[in-house]
Amino acid sequence: MPRSERSPLLLAGLLAGMGAAHFAVPRPFDAIVPRALPGSPRAWTYASGVAELALAAGVALPRTRKTAALATAAFFVGVFPANVKMAWDWRHRPTPLKAAAVGRLPLQVPLVLWARSVADRTTTTTTANLMEGRA
């Protein structure tokens, strides 16, 4: 399978794994929910887990891939404040933990770009398939 065909499935796998983790071990996710959000942190943890599972399904399916990949890029931007909160909250922890929390911040950029590239390649692939009569 070419790399361009694996990329959406890898992104879907990442989203599904993280979505499932929100239900399997919710406490770490509860801790990074920004306090400014209304409601309980657990509700936000579960809601974001559901969103990640839905995005995973959408990215995995060719018919919904472009829309889901664009929504995934927006989701990655939307959860950035939680990563900032984590970095702030962990500023007094031991250096390796502090470094991990701060190191997550710039990782959002490649995640957003990855989701956008999946969306962009989906358009190209779908158009090519239509032109060849395979869609």
Side-chain angles (χ1 to χ4, degrees):
M1 177 182 294
R3 185 173 147 191
S4 63
E5 291 178 26
R6 282 193 316 260
S7 184
L9 300 179
L10 292 171
L11 179 59
L14 172 73
L15 289 163
M18 291 308 298
H22 281 68
F23 294 95
V25 284
R27 284 173 89 194
F29 298 101
D30 294 346
I32 64 172
V33 172
R35 289 178 197 91
L37 292 176
S40 73
R42 182 62 52 93
W44 285 100
T45 294
Y46 287 157
S48 61
V50 167
E52 285 177 311
L53 292 171
L55 290 168
V59 169
L61 299 170
R63 286 189 176 253
T64 56
R65 183 167 293 149
K66 180 177 181 175
T67 301
L70 291 173
T72 298
F75 179 82
F76 287 147
V77 171
V79 299
F80 186 72
N83 293 337
V84 171
K85 181 183 183 307
M86 181 181 179
W88 178 257
D89 289 348
W90 287 25
R91 70 190 181 279
H92 300 299
R93 293 207 177 174
T95 301
L97 294 175
K98 185 173 22 179
V102 171
R104 287 181 62 177
L105 298 175
L107 288 178
Q108 291 301 116
V109 173
L111 288 173
V112 170
L113 295 175
W114 183 15
R116 291 288 311 267
S117 74
V118 167
D120 292 344
R121 278 196 305 268
T122 298
T123 302
T124 302
T125 303
T126 302
T127 303
N129 288 343
L130 283 170
M131 292 176 74
E132 293 176 13
R134 293 187 291 174

